[in-house]
Amino acid sequence: MSKNILTRGHSRALTRHHKIAAAGVAALGAAAIGLSAVPSNASTTTTTEAVAPTAKVAYSTEQIKGVHAGVTDQLAGTSVKVEQIAAKKQAAAEATAKKEAAAAVAKAKAEKARQAEEAASRAAERAAVKKAAPKAYSDNLDGWIRESLDIMKKHGIPGSYEGIHRNIMRESSGNPKAINLWDINAQNGIPSKGLLQVIPPTFEAYHVPGTPKDIYDPVANITAACNYAADKYGTMDNVDSAY
């Protein structure tokens, strides 16, 4: 009976010892945990306070929004740069087009001026050639009258083709070598000669410069006779008989 009581008492004593040891171990563990939670630059004071439970992690989208905004800004900036480059290219193309248009206009003006200059030069050359080359007249009554009219025009002597032709046909029938050997002039030793039957003194007095001094020359005879008729009758057109 006594043996059993000792045995139970010993068992209770060991139990209390064990509890004390466990409590000490727990205290040491808490102290160790407290020390491990202290920052390296903080005080090393030992605490036995229990560690607070880990706080719940909270996730924020602010950073993601910031990144999105930054990317959007970059894209916008790139778009602006692309537009600026395109605008510069467009401006350069328009400037080039304007320069080319201006060059084309200048070239057209220069070509027009060149053509005008060439045309003027050709006209001057033709005028010079025309002036240098004498007008050709046929060697017949028609040609003689026309050449005489041109000379008369230069000297301001009036007369028409019809009036000259009419008087020539009456006086000589168109024969430049005709001579009157029977009228009063012939009797006086100064016979009328040529197409318009001019006496030598009259021919000499009314000879027109630029024509031969030959009373039988058709052109010289016509112009001298018309010059005389203009002085005496106003024009050869007013002569209808011997003059």
Side-chain angles (χ1 to χ4, degrees), residues 71-157:
V71 172
T72 302
D73 292 342
Q74 290 179 359
L75 291 175
T78 302
S79 178
V80 170
K81 288 181 180 179
V82 170
E83 291 177 356
Q84 290 176 346
I85 292 172
K88 288 182 179 179
K89 289 183 178 180
Q90 179 67 23
E94 291 177 355
T96 300
K98 287 182 179 179
K99 288 182 180 179
E100 291 177 351
V105 171
K107 184 177 180 181
K109 288 183 178 179
E111 178 63 18
K112 187 176 181 180
R114 183 188 66 80
Q115 291 177 355
E117 184 178 355
E118 289 182 353
S121 178
R122 288 193 296 269
E125 289 177 358
R126 286 194 297 269
V129 171
K130 184 178 180 180
K131 184 177 181 180
K135 184 177 179 179
Y137 300 95
S138 58
D139 189 19
N140 53 32
L141 182 59
D142 177 75
W144 301 331
I145 295 174
R146 293 186 184 282
E147 185 175 358
S148 295
L149 284 170
D150 287 342
I151 296 172
M152 290 163 57
K153 184 178 180 180
K154 292 178 181 178
H155 292 274
I157 301 171

Side-chain angles (χ1 to χ4, degrees), residues 23-35 38 44-52:
V25 171
L28 291 173
I33 292 172
L35 289 172
V38 176
T44 57
T45 302
T46 303
T47 179
T48 59
E49 293 180 358
V51 178

Side-chain angles (χ1 to χ4, degrees), residues 158-160 162-164 166-167 170 229-243:
S160 68
E162 188 280 329
I164 294 172
R166 173 169 46 81
N167 280 283
R170 186 189 68 251
D231 184 39
K232 298 299 181 179
Y233 307 100
T235 175
M236 181 63 76
D237 296 347
N238 296 333
V239 178
D240 291 311
S241 61
Y243 59 106

